[in-house]
Amino acid sequence: MYKAHISEDKTRSQSVVQHLQGTQKLAGEFAAAFDCREWGDGCGLLHDIGKYSASFKRRIDEGGPITDHATAGAKELYNRGNVFGAYCISGHHSGLLDGGTVGDSAGEATLMGRMKKRLDDYSAFQHEVEIPAFPAPLLKPLGKGGFSAAFFVRMLFSSLVDADYLDTEEFMKEGKTGREPAEPMDILLQRLKQYVAAWLENTDLTTINGRRSRILQACFDKGQAAQGLYQLTVPTGGGKTISSLAFALQHAIRHHLQHIIYVIPYTNIIEQTSQIFRHILGDINVLEDHCNVSYDSPEELKIKQLAAENWDCPVVVTTNVQFFESLFSNRTSKCRKLHNIAKSVIIFDEAQMLPASYLKPCTRVITELVTNYHCTTVLCTATQPSLEAFFPQQLRPVEICPDIQGQYAFFKRTAFQMIGELTEEALVERLNTHGQILCILNSRKRVQSVYKALKGDGTYHLSTFMYPIHRKNLLKKIKTCLENGQNCRVIATSLVEAGVDLDFKMVYRELAGIDSVIQAGGRCNREGKEKPEESRTVVFTLEESEDIHIPGQLKLPITVAGQIARKFEDISSLEAIHEYFERLYHFRGNGLDAQNIVDQFEQASRSMLFPFATVAEQFHLIENETKAILIDKEMRAQEIVESLRNGAHSLQLLREAGQYCVNVYQNDFENLNGAGLLEALDEQIYVLRDRKLYSDEMGLLVNVSRGEAVFA
C-alpha cells in the first residue's frame, strides 16, 4: 500500500511537471512575439506550483474542497520583486486583479490581499522546479510608464492563459483538438495578386478602374516600407477594402508578421468584408469574430470557434467593441487572444468611428502596439479624422494613398447642398416629388412619422428595430427596385450610411456629424452614372418638436457640423473634414477619456498597483446596455425558440438566434417586460409574446420617447 501511494504521488508529480513544462514552452513562444520569451517561460513554469501542496493532493485524491493553487507562484515572484509576473499567475484562473492597497487584508480580491494570504506548504516544488531569471523587458515606456507597464502585464497574462488552455486541451483531447492549420501568408498574397492581376493592367487615370488600380498598386508598393503608423485616405468608390488587404499581406510578408486584423465599427460591414476575403483567400484563412456571426455546419463552427478563442487565424475581422474591450478586459476568456495581436498588421476601417468618449485610451493602445509589440496599424477611411495630436511626435501617420486631392476630385459623386431648416410637412412634400430618393433622419420616431406621412407604393422604412434577416431581405428588395427603375423612397436611420450598397440619384440627410453626412452622400450616385452637380445630397435641419428626442451623443457633432457648414462652401472638402474633427475633439476635451482610464494607469507608475478589474468594468464602448428580443415570425425563428425553451444553449444556436433579434435599450425593455409582453428564454434573450407588435413595414412597434408599446 505504501509503495502504491509513492507511485501515485510520483505519477501526479510527473503530470504536474509535464503541464508546467508544456505551458512554459507555449507561453515562451507567445511572449517571444514581443521579445519577452523568458517572461513567458518563467510564468508558464511557475503558474501551477501551488499544486504541490497537501490540500491540492486531497482535492485530487479525495474530492476535497477547492484549493487555491494560483497564489503560490505569484507569491514566489512577488517576494522577489517581480510584480508583473505576480499579477499574471495570481489571475490565471479568475482574471487580472486590481492591485489594491497596502492596507488590504489577507485573502481580499486584490493582488495585495492575495499576497498576504496564508497558503498550505507547497515547498515540494523546489525538488523539481527551479525559479528562473527574468531579464528586464525590452519595452519603451511611454508617458509616465504606468500605462505601458499595465499593457505589458496584459500581453504577458494573455501568453500565459492561452498557453495554459492549449496545453490542458492537448492533454484532455490526447492531441485531437480539432484545430486546423491555416495557410501561410505568401500563399494568401499569391491568391490576391492572381485575383487583381487584370485590374492592375488598367493604368488609364481617366477611368474609375484606372484610378482604383493606381491606389491598389500604391498599397502593394507601400507594403514594402518600414513598420509604423499609416493612414489610407481613400474616397468612397476608390476600392479601399481590397487595397488595404494588398498593403497588409505585402507588409506581413516583408516583416514576418503573424496576423492581419481588421477592426470595423459595424457588423454589416464585417459580414461584407469577411465574405470578400473568404472568396479571395479561402474560408479557413479568415475568422469573422463578432456577436452575430453564424456558420453553415457544425464542423465549420467547431473550427472557427476554436480559432475565435485566441484569434489563431491569419486574417481576423472583428469589431471596435470586441478589439478594444478585450484589450481593457481582465477576464481570461477575453484576454487569451491578446498576444496574437503582437506582430500583426491592424487595419482600423472607418477610423473616424473610433469612439470619442474613449479616444485617448484607444489611441494609446494603438501607440503601444506600434511602439512595443511589432505591429503596423493603418487608419483607413474616406473621412480621415484629425488624430495626429493623439500620437507622440515620433509616431506620425504616413499616408499610403497617392494624390489624395486628385482622387477626391475624381471620385466626387455628389454635390452637397445646405438648405437650412424645414418643417416635417415641407420635408414630406419635397420627398413626394421624387420617384427614387433616400432620406436619413436622426430620430427613429421622426423616421416613423415621415414614413407614415409618405406611405404608399414604393415607400420603405428601415430601422434597427427590424431584426437582421428582415433588414437584409428588405435591402435586397430596395436594391431590385432601384435597378429596375421603380419608385423607391426609403426613410431610414443612419444604419444605411456604411456597408450598405445602395445607389440613389438624390439623398436627403438631416444635419449630423460631417462624417455621417459624407457617409450618407456615399449612397448618392454611387456608380457615377450621373454628373455630380445633378446628384445632390441635400442637408437640412428639422423644426424642433417636444416629442422628438435627439440622442445626447449627437448634439455636439451636430453643433460643430453647423459651424463647419457656415464656414466652408463644400463640407465634403478635406479641409472641412479636418477642421470638423479638430473642433469636435477640442470641444470634447476631457470627454475624450470619459472614465479617466489612461490616467488611472499612469498614476500607478510607481506603486504598480494597477486597477485592472476596475477599468474592465468601466470600459464599455457601447455605454447603454441593450436587451435582445427575439421575433419568432419566421419558421426558423420559431424552431430556435423551441430549442432554447428545451434547454439547448450552444454558441451556434445563440448566434443564429441573433439574426432574428431586435436590440432595445433598457427603458424600452423594462416597459415591454413590465407589460408582460416578453418571455425570458435565458439571461440574454427574450421572445416577444405578441407577434402583432412587430410590423413587416416598421419592425418592433415601440413608442421610443416613452417606451410604451403601441398596439396595432
Side-chain angles (χ1 to χ4, degrees):
M1 181 66 73
Y2 176 69
K3 288 182 179 179
H5 273 301
I6 291 178
S7 177
E8 289 173 8
D9 287 348
K10 186 175 181 180
T11 300
R12 184 185 305 106
S13 175
Q14 288 174 342
S15 177
V16 171
V17 169
Q18 286 173 357
H19 175 57
L20 293 179
Q21 291 175 341
T23 305
Q24 174 190 28
K25 180 177 182 295
L26 287 172
E29 290 174 0
F30 297 156
F34 47 97
D35 307 316
C36 292
R37 180 185 293 273
E38 295 89 348
W39 283 80
D41 280 345
C43 289
L45 185 62
L46 299 177
H47 79 288
D48 271 356
I49 61 174
K51 291 181 177 179
Y52 283 89
S53 69
S55 58
F56 187 82
K57 177 178 178 296
R58 286 193 297 274
R59 167 71 177 164
I60 299 301
D61 293 345
E62 305 167 15
I66 295 175
T67 183
D68 175 1
H69 65 272
T71 301
K75 269 197 168 188
E76 291 296 325
L77 292 184
Y78 183 81
N79 290 337
R80 289 166 172 77
N82 188 336
V83 181
F84 298 159
Y87 272 116
C88 296
I89 293 177
S90 66
H92 79 269
H93 285 303
S94 58
L96 283 171
L97 300 165
D98 279 349
T101 68
V102 292
D104 290 349
S105 58
E108 199 164 333
T110 63
L111 181 66
M112 290 294 94
R114 289 280 287 277
M115 293 304 96
K116 294 177 182 178
K117 185 178 180 180
R118 295 192 63 179
L119 302 176
D120 283 355
D121 180 20
Y122 58 90
S123 59
F125 88 91
Q126 296 171 348
H127 301 297
E128 296 177 326
V129 177
E130 183 178 348
I131 296 178
F134 288 77
L138 300 174
L139 302 172
K140 301 174 185 175
L142 302 170
K144 296 179 181 178
F147 190 95
S148 295
F151 199 89
F152 170 64
V153 171
R154 288 184 195 283
M155 297 296 275
L156 183 62
F157 178 67
S158 170
S159 302
L160 172 61
V161 295
D162 193 30
D164 189 22
Y165 273 112
L166 290 173
D167 187 74
T168 302
E169 180 185 89
E170 183 81 10
F171 174 78
M172 297 298 291
K173 297 183 179 179
E174 299 179 337
K176 300 174 182 177
T177 64
R179 297 177 181 271
E180 292 191 14
E183 296 175 291
M185 288 286 182
D186 58 342
I187 298 295
L188 306 191
L189 179 61
Q190 183 180 344
R191 284 188 187 150
L192 176 64
K193 285 187 172 181
Q194 289 173 348
Y195 185 81
V196 302
W199 301 0
L200 292 173
E201 293 176 4
N202 186 342
T203 58
D204 183 356
L205 296 182
T206 65
T207 67
I208 291 175
N209 288 336
R211 288 278 176 169
R212 288 172 177 165
S213 294
R214 186 183 181 193
I215 295 169
L216 176 60
Q217 187 61 59
C219 286
F220 276 123
D221 295 343
K222 207 70 170 182
Q224 299 283 359
Q227 284 199 261
L229 176 64
Y230 289 85
Q231 61 186 29
L232 179 59
T233 310
V234 176
T236 300
K240 66 181 172 66
T241 300
I242 299 296
S243 293
S244 62
L245 180 63
F247 172 87
L249 284 169
Q250 189 77 66
H251 199 71
I253 291 170
R254 171 69 177 81
H255 296 284
H256 310 289
L257 305 181
Q258 302 177 134
H259 305 282
I260 295 167
I261 302 171
Y262 270 76
V263 186
I264 300 177
Y266 303 114
T267 54
N268 58 332
I269 308 179
I270 286 180
E271 290 164 358
Q272 291 183 27
T273 302
S274 299
Q275 186 176 0
I276 293 168
F277 290 170
R278 285 196 297 267
H279 176 67
I280 299 171
L281 306 176
D283 285 348
I284 197 171
N285 301 307
V286 180
L287 171 66
E288 183 180 346
D289 188 22
H290 60 88
C291 60
N292 288 338
V293 67
S294 60
Y295 302 106
D296 294 332
S297 68
E299 293 76 18
E300 184 187 7
L301 168 67
K302 182 179 180 182
I303 294 167
K304 295 298 189 182
Q305 185 177 341
L306 289 170
E309 291 171 355
N310 61 355
W311 284 1
D312 188 13
C313 195
V315 179
V316 178
V317 188
T318 190
T319 60
N320 282 341
V321 172
Q322 177 78 279
F323 184 82
F324 287 110
E325 289 192 2
S326 294
L327 280 160
F328 285 98
S329 178
N330 70 321
R331 291 164 46 200
T332 55
S333 59
K334 299 236 1 170
C335 290
R336 273 188 74 176
K337 63 178 80 78
L338 301 187
H339 70 88
N340 273 328
I341 298 176
K343 293 189 74 172
S344 294
V345 183
I346 309 168
I347 310 289
F348 293 97
D349 196 16
E350 305 297 345
Q352 78 282 354
M353 296 301 297
L354 289 175
S357 295
Y358 294 94
L359 190 58
K360 286 184 177 178
C362 289
T363 52
R364 189 63 181 271
V365 159
I366 295 170
T367 302
E368 285 290 341
L369 289 170
V370 173
T371 303
N372 287 316
Y373 297 91
H374 302 298
C375 289
T376 288
T377 62
V378 182
L379 306 174
C380 188
T381 179
T383 54
Q384 197 64 251
S386 303
L387 296 176
E388 293 91 344
F390 299 99
F391 295 106
Q393 192 67 36
Q394 68 273 20
L395 196 64
R396 290 291 185 241
V398 176
E399 181 59 57
I400 299 173
C401 182
D403 183 21
I404 298 176
Q405 292 282 4
Q407 305 294 4
Y408 268 74
F410 181 85
F411 281 102
K412 191 175 180 65
R413 296 285 176 265
T414 182
F416 289 85
Q417 179 184 3
M418 310 294 297
I419 63 169
E421 185 176 88
L422 294 176
T423 64
E424 189 173 305
E425 293 75 16
L427 174 63
V428 170
E429 186 177 333
R430 280 172 169 259
L431 298 179
N432 261 324
T433 63
H434 297 275
Q436 293 189 346
I437 192 165
L438 170 65
C439 178
I440 304 173
L441 304 173
N442 294 331
S443 161
R444 192 184 290 115
K445 185 171 183 181
R446 187 83 85 170
V447 168
Q448 293 174 347
S449 177
V450 171
Y451 170 76
K452 288 175 183 177
L454 276 171
K455 193 173 177 181
D457 185 43
T459 302
Y460 301 96
H461 168 278
L462 273 171
S463 165
T464 52
F465 268 23
M466 295 171 171
Y467 56 84
I469 285 181
H470 184 184
R471 282 204 309 270
K472 287 178 185 177
N473 291 336
L474 187 54
L475 283 166
K476 287 180 184 177
K477 186 175 181 180
I478 290 168
K479 195 168 183 179
T480 300
C481 287
L482 291 171
E483 290 171 351
N484 294 338
Q486 299 169 295
N487 280 349
C488 187
R489 291 183 291 272
V490 177
I491 316 303
T493 57
S494 61
L495 70 91
V496 299
E497 286 179 349
V500 178
D501 187 14
L502 297 176
D503 186 5
F504 289 85
K505 185 175 180 180
M506 181 76 71
V507 171
Y508 269 63
R509 182 45 164 116
E510 184 178 4
L511 184 65
I514 294 294
D515 52 326
S516 293
V517 172
I518 293 173
Q519 288 278 10
R523 309 315 112 192
C524 187
N525 192 26
R526 190 170 179 83
E527 300 301 322
K529 296 176 181 177
E530 310 290 340
K531 294 179 180 179
E533 58 271 18
E534 295 175 359
S535 300
R536 289 173 294 137
T537 297
V538 179
V539 184
F540 59 93
T541 58
L542 278 171
E543 190 177 62
E544 290 187 10
S545 174
E546 291 183 3
D547 63 341
I548 298 297
H549 170 69
I550 300 298
Q553 66 267 27
L554 291 182
K555 291 180 179 177
L556 181 58
I558 290 171
T559 299
V560 177
Q563 296 172 357
I564 296 300
R566 288 189 290 273
K567 179 174 179 179
F568 291 89
E569 184 175 343
D570 180 8
I571 62 169
S572 68
S573 69
L574 291 171
E575 295 79 10
I577 295 168
H578 186 84
E579 184 161 337
Y580 165 76
F581 281 109
E582 276 196 337
R583 291 192 184 200
L584 184 67
Y585 297 153
H586 172 74
F587 288 136
R588 283 195 182 274
N590 293 333
L592 297 171
D593 187 358
Q595 299 289 348
N596 201 33
I597 284 167
V598 173
D599 202 42
Q600 287 186 63
F601 286 116
E602 291 286 60
Q603 288 177 356
S605 59
R606 291 189 177 182
S607 68
M608 296 296 164
L609 299 177
F610 300 116
F612 288 116
T614 297
V615 164
E617 285 294 318
Q618 294 172 338
F619 191 93
H620 295 291
L621 297 193
I622 301 175
E623 296 289 357
N624 297 313
E625 292 189 10
T626 59
K627 294 282 190 179
I629 299 177
L630 197 153
I631 313 299
D632 63 343
K633 295 189 70 172
E634 299 186 36
M635 182 64 71
R636 180 54 188 149
Q638 293 167 21
E639 293 170 354
I640 291 171
V641 168
E642 283 307 306
S643 296
L644 291 170
R645 282 180 179 144
N646 293 331
H649 285 84
S650 70
L651 176 62
Q652 172 68 356
L653 189 67
L654 291 173
R655 284 184 162 175
E656 192 178 358
Q659 296 295 307
Y660 300 93
C661 285
V662 173
N663 292 304
V664 301
Y665 289 122
Q666 194 67 31
N667 63 324
D668 293 324
F669 167 79
E670 288 174 356
N671 280 281
L672 288 168
N673 197 37
L677 297 170
L678 303 176
E679 173 196 344
L681 297 176
D682 70 0
E683 293 180 359
Q684 295 176 294
I685 299 178
Y686 294 74
V687 65
L688 187 68
R689 291 182 187 274
D690 187 350
R691 294 175 192 163
K692 293 179 182 178
L693 289 177
Y694 191 91
S695 160
D696 287 339
E697 290 182 306
M698 299 178 68
L700 184 62
L701 300 177
V702 170
N703 184 322
V704 295
S705 64
R706 298 194 306 273
E708 298 168 355
V710 178
F711 290 86

